[in-house]
Amino acid sequence: MSITIPPPTAKKIPKTLEKHGDKRVDDYFWLNDRQNKEVIDYLNSENQYYEEMTAHTKGLKNLLFEEMKGRIKEDDSSVPYFFNGYWYITRFETGKDYPIYARKKGSLTAKEEILFDCNEMAKGHSYFQLGGVSISPDNKYASFGVDIIGRRIYTIQVKNLQTGKLFEDKIENTTGSSTWANDNKTLFYTQQDKQTLRSDKVFKHKLGGRQEQDVLVYDEVDDTFNVSVSKEKSKKYIVISSSSTLTTEFRTLLADDPDGKFKVFQPRVRGMEYSIAHYGDSFYILTNKDDATNFKLMKTPEKATSMENWKDLIPHREDVLLEDIEIFKDYLVLGERSNGLNKIRIMPWNGKGEYYLPFDSETYTANISTNPDFDTQILRYSYQSLGTPSSVIDFNMKTKEKEIKKEQQVLGGKFDKKNYVEERVWATAEDGTKIPISMIYRKGMKKDGKNPLLLYAYGSYGATMDPYFSSTRLSLLDRGFIYAIAHIRGGEDMGRLWYENGKLLHKKNTFTDFIDCSKFVIKEKYTSAEHLYAEGGSAGGLLMGAVVNMAPELYHGVIAQVPFVDVVTTMLDDTIPLTTGEYDEWGNPNEKEYYDYMKSYSPYDNVKAQNYPNMYVSTGLHDSQVQYWEPAKWVAKLRTLKTDTNLLFLDTNMDAGHGGASGRFEALKELAKEFSFLLDLEGIEN
């Protein structure tokens, strides 16, 4: 369509930013003030521009929303899990946006007890999130956190489950999670720095007391670390975790002795990561100690936890990433990754007959699920693929029998997994590395270069983008789209080195991998530059910003969700959330080597006079992870420099944060905007 409405223009107020003798001029620095009426007016004008420019797709958006909603079982519920004498269930009711948390004592036929009805709790709030529900050992109380802004700042309260009444206790400015000691009256919780939102302190709260009376039990003074507090599955220990990108440290306290002192498990050693699990008279340690890049499993007596006492149990393997462990009374379960695929390994403690669960597909995801019960032979795990709806499976580790407890229902009567083809292909990066791509499309697809293809990736923090099923994605597949995930470096898809080779001074591998995957799907005629679309969010939005600067000609359209695009300025500002904890991921730009490298790829700093693809950029005014002004500044700068007449939209949710809208159906409306953007570019009207 031809552009007839002039886009908004943000005024320029040049601000010179200087570091290491290098001067950068930021014309839009002033947008960094959500209290400024002019800033809000600008964001609203961009929203209005988006609405006016896409008015012709309103019917398509509504159609997509109803279509996606129509595939979702509205009166749905989770598979119940058993914990401490109760079955716990999360369920939804028809027409309602939020979950209901419930439990049943002893048996699934027992009377339901509603713990929290989030639909009632959310009334009067444009955003609502419940988090960190924790039940006291005697089952009488539930602590929980509530966020009504979207900045992930929670207030913790406690509910008396016998009377239904709330205690007067209100604990502000927390992460939302809390952990009960075994006395049923002591709560440990993490508090956040009010400005940076770094979780830096662990407090002890006595039920019925005031927050100002709470006792500080741990203060993490290193601003590159975050803290959390939890309880071991064995229920014997309360554990404080301190973690940075590269280093971890734990402290333990007997849960029967809440007024005792936490003991350091093993003092932090820079570059050494470890996690702990208690069983019997020992701790099991998942760690990269001794250059175990892909991690190994070690064991130590619970009375002697420093690393000179650790002994190898599962040695390091060059070709297998050890991701996860789950401990049961009679079994040790390992979550592994080999050749980019999940494996689940069952090991009886008696040493007799270990084995792997069998999986057939080449684009599947299988993960150890919720297993709070210690004394059981049942392992619960989840399984899905790009074309197979998610299943929750109970597996008897003794008899090897499995029971599918639930397979995600896709309503509407049109979905049949036999109508789709799943494929894993390998692109070759510019340095010769083979990059896997998982994809799905309708049967009968022809490799003629005419298929629209949406290529998604993330590529940071060692986060693995496993192939997963999405009922909403069917709205693209059934209209002829190919959907693909590029498993680029910076994630951990192919092992730990995959991550190491896509961060810090190797970060550009992430971007060039994506570009090479894009070239591959074009060369193999899955699609062409006229029909290739790219999508990424948060750090994946940084990826989008980098590739449109580096290779804009490859893409017809790009979706950048809450994109982290002003890398240098943000990483130099240690007053905003995440910055200091990110130095091990991106580098510390206070050091010139990292400053120069970061500046060479930072999307905002590298916008230039050239053609850019059609772009849809979304953000949230209250985002605590990527501040709204990053995409706002980026779009403003793109508007002044781009040399094309392609679409450029900035869509700001004025009520939400990093995760977007809070209700499950409100989130579908945001997805309908993205899909309609793609379909409109393809000339697909319904």
Side-chain angles (χ1 to χ4, degrees):
M1 64 172 279
S2 59
I3 294 178
T4 56
I5 304 164
T9 304
K11 68 179 181 182
K12 294 184 178 182
I13 305 176
K15 181 178 178 67
T16 301
L17 305 168
E18 186 171 357
K19 191 73 179 177
H20 305 299
D22 178 57
K23 291 182 179 179
R24 295 177 300 132
V25 177
D26 188 347
D27 290 329
Y28 305 106
F29 190 88
W30 67 276
L31 288 169
N32 176 352
D33 181 6
R34 63 170 58 81
Q35 307 302 323
N36 183 338
K37 183 179 180 299
E38 281 190 80
V39 172
I40 300 301
D41 287 346
Y42 170 68
L43 296 177
N44 282 327
S45 70
E46 283 282 5
N47 282 353
Q48 184 179 354
Y49 174 71
Y50 166 74
E51 292 296 337
E52 290 176 354
M53 286 291 291
T54 61
H56 65 288
T57 66
K58 185 176 180 181
L60 178 58
K61 287 177 197 167
N62 291 336
L63 174 68
L64 288 165
F65 171 74
E66 294 298 337
E67 184 176 290
M68 292 187 287
K69 184 180 176 185
R71 295 194 195 101
I72 296 172
K73 191 173 189 293
E74 290 198 46
D75 56 340
D76 202 4
S77 64
S78 65
V79 178
Y81 68 86
F82 191 73
F83 178 65
N84 199 22
Y86 283 82
W87 288 96
Y88 286 87
I89 305 147
T90 305
R91 62 181 178 82
F92 288 90
E93 292 183 350
T94 301
K96 294 185 177 179
D97 240 340
Y98 293 95
I100 295 167
Y101 293 82
R103 69 179 183 178
K104 296 181 178 184
K105 188 173 183 179
S107 165
L108 286 170
T109 60
K111 182 182 176 184
E112 181 185 69
E113 175 188 346
I114 292 180
L115 306 176
F116 302 101
D117 184 343
C118 294
N119 300 286
E120 292 298 318
M121 298 169 74
K123 283 182 177 174
H125 302 296
S126 57
Y127 180 92
F128 177 84
Q129 191 69 48
L130 178 77
V133 175
S134 179
I135 308 294
S136 62
D138 63 5
N139 292 310
K140 292 180 180 178
Y141 311 117
S143 59
F144 64 98
V146 168
D147 172 16
I148 56 172
I149 300 294
R151 278 182 67 75
R152 304 185 185 182
I153 305 171
Y154 288 83
T155 298
I156 292 175
Q157 293 181 266
V158 179
K159 184 176 183 178
N160 185 324
L161 298 178
Q162 296 175 307
T163 66
K165 299 271 178 66
L166 293 179
F167 284 83
E168 291 185 5
D169 313 42
K170 272 198 173 183
I171 308 172
E172 308 280 356
N173 194 39
T174 77
T175 61
S177 63
S178 55
T179 301
W180 292 92
N182 288 346
D183 64 355
N184 300 296
K185 63 182 181 183
T186 306
L187 267 179
F188 293 91
Y189 66 90
T190 45
Q191 195 172 59
Q192 302 177 121
D193 181 279
K194 286 184 178 177
Q195 185 168 20
T196 66
L197 303 187
R198 180 174 72 92
S199 54
D200 60 350
K201 294 178 176 65
V202 177
F203 282 91
K204 177 171 62 180
H205 176 82
K206 296 293 185 180
L207 193 56
R210 298 192 309 276
Q211 184 171 2
E212 54 266 29
Q213 299 171 315
D214 292 352
V215 177
L216 176 67
V217 295
Y218 182 64
D219 184 4
E220 180 51 75
V221 295
D222 187 330
D223 63 6
T224 67
F225 279 73
N226 288 279
V227 296
S228 62
V229 62
S230 60
K231 187 187 280 187
E232 280 295 303
K233 185 175 176 178
S234 68
K235 305 178 187 176
K236 188 172 181 178
Y237 290 95
I238 305 285
V239 178
I240 292 174
S241 164
S242 292
S243 60
S244 71
T245 305
L246 294 175
T247 310
T248 48
E249 180 181 70
F250 289 84
R251 287 167 169 75
T252 61
L253 173 71
L254 288 168
D256 286 336
D257 184 24
D259 294 324
K261 278 198 156 189
F262 279 87
K263 174 193 168 193
V264 177
F265 187 90
Q266 157 60 40
R268 64 190 65 175
V269 176
R270 177 159 174 80
M272 190 177 90
E273 298 173 65
Y274 70 94
S275 59
I276 61 176
H278 175 256
Y279 169 65
D281 58 1
S282 302
F283 278 97
Y284 292 78
I285 306 125
L286 190 60
T287 180
N288 65 349
K289 181 179 179 291
D290 306 321
D291 298 318
T293 309
N294 275 333
F295 288 76
K296 62 180 178 177
L297 187 63
M298 305 185 78
K299 179 181 178 181
T300 196
E302 65 179 332
K303 303 292 188 190
T305 61
S306 55
M307 64 181 176
E308 64 267 18
N309 301 295
W310 300 0
K311 305 292 183 191
D312 278 9
L313 191 64
I314 307 288
H316 175 254
R317 291 157 291 173
E318 295 289 342
D319 57 345
V320 178
L321 175 66
L322 185 53
E323 291 187 313
D324 192 15
I325 68 168
E326 187 74 66
I327 288 179
F328 297 89
K329 182 183 176 185
D330 297 321
Y331 298 90
L332 170 66
V333 179
L334 305 181
E336 302 177 347
R337 180 177 297 276
S338 175
N339 197 31
L341 296 174
N342 304 120
K343 310 283 170 121
I344 296 178
R345 182 179 178 186
I346 314 292
M347 301 179 65
W349 287 117
N350 63 18
K352 296 177 183 176
E354 68 169 74
Y355 57 94
Y356 284 89
L357 296 187
F359 301 121
D360 301 324
S361 171
E362 60 174 17
T363 61
Y364 70 87
T365 299
N367 290 311
I368 299 169
S369 187
T370 304
N371 291 277
D373 198 359
F374 181 69
D375 188 3
T376 179
Q377 293 175 345
I378 303 299
L379 166 72
R380 178 164 291 177
Y381 70 94
S382 62
Y383 178 89
Q384 61 185 313
S385 73
L386 288 171
T388 305
S390 175
S391 297
V392 176
I393 298 164
D394 278 0
F395 179 80
N396 189 310
M397 293 179 279
K398 184 176 182 180
T399 67
K400 300 185 182 179
E401 295 172 312
K402 73 175 184 180
E403 180 186 0
I404 298 176
K405 302 298 289 186
K406 179 181 180 180
E407 181 171 285
Q408 176 187 351
Q409 283 185 264
V410 182
L411 303 184
K414 295 180 180 177
F415 172 71
D416 182 345
K417 53 186 168 189
K418 294 175 186 168
N419 292 332
Y420 304 89
V421 175
E422 299 176 64
E423 194 177 354
R424 186 159 74 143
V425 295
W426 299 80
T428 303
E430 58 184 21
D431 64 359
T433 302
K434 297 289 186 181
I435 313 295
I437 305 171
S438 302
M439 62 170 68
I440 183 171
Y441 46 82
R442 291 276 304 191
K443 266 187 182 167
M445 182 271 293
K446 294 177 182 174
K447 285 191 185 181
D448 57 8
K450 296 178 182 177
N451 307 294
L453 188 152
L454 178 58
L455 185 64
Y456 170 83
Y458 185 72
S460 290
Y461 302 106
T464 299
M465 292 295 115
D466 285 318
Y468 66 96
F469 181 80
S470 165
S471 67
T472 56
R473 190 190 297 138
L474 298 173
S475 290
L476 292 180
L477 297 179
D478 291 346
R479 289 174 171 85
F481 267 75
I482 299 170
Y483 179 82
I485 301 171
H487 303 284
I488 55 180
R489 283 174 285 187
E492 220 167 52
D493 307 57
M494 297 292 288
R496 182 67 173 193
L497 283 175
W498 207 248
Y499 171 42
E500 300 291 342
N501 290 326
K503 69 177 201 180
L504 296 173
L505 299 174
H506 302 292
K507 189 66 217 169
K508 288 182 185 176
N509 283 338
T510 303
F511 316 138
T512 54
D513 281 1
F514 189 86
I515 290 168
D516 289 329
C517 287
S518 303
K519 290 177 179 176
F520 174 84
V521 294
I522 291 172
K523 179 172 73 74
E524 295 297 316
K525 294 195 179 326
Y526 286 99
T527 189
S528 60
E530 292 76 33
H531 299 286
L532 178 58
Y533 302 91
E535 176 190 19
S538 195
L542 161 63
L543 169 66
M544 295 299 103
V547 300
V548 296
N549 283 335
M550 296 165 69
E553 71 283 355
L554 294 177
Y555 310 98
H556 190 218
V558 170
I559 295 172
Q561 305 143 327
V562 291
F564 171 42
V565 284
D566 191 11
V567 184
V568 179
T569 305
T570 290
M571 292 304 297
L572 282 169
D573 186 354
D574 60 11
T575 69
I576 59 178
L578 295 185
T579 295
T580 54
E582 304 282 281
Y583 290 157
D584 287 333
E585 178 72 24
W586 311 102
N588 183 348
N590 292 296
E591 299 173 27
K592 189 173 187 305
E593 181 182 27
Y594 289 109
Y595 174 91
D596 290 342
Y597 188 76
M598 230 177 255
K599 186 185 173 189
S600 73
Y601 69 74
S602 172
Y604 184 63
D605 291 292
N606 288 282
V607 174
K608 52 184 175 281
Q610 65 176 11
N611 286 356
Y612 281 88
N614 297 285
M615 296 172 67
Y616 172 83
V617 182
S618 61
T619 187
L621 181 63
H622 301 291
D623 197 326
S624 60
Q625 312 301 105
V626 177
Q627 308 297 323
Y628 73 88
W629 58 76
E630 292 200 37
K633 288 164 53 175
W634 183 44
V635 168
K637 190 172 183 179
L638 280 165
R639 289 211 187 285
T640 62
L641 287 174
K642 73 190 195 85
T643 53
D644 57 81
T645 56
N646 288 333
L647 301 173
L648 175 60
F649 298 135
L650 174 66
D651 186 14
T652 305
N653 186 324
M654 305 301 279
D655 296 316
H658 197 63
S662 57
R664 61 175 174 159
F665 299 132
E666 285 302 309
L668 291 181
K669 291 178 181 175
E670 297 187 346
L671 199 53
K673 289 180 176 181
E674 296 176 5
F675 285 5
S676 66
F677 172 74
L678 299 173
L679 295 172
D680 187 40
L681 289 173
E682 280 295 308
I684 300 171
E685 297 179 2
N686 53 50

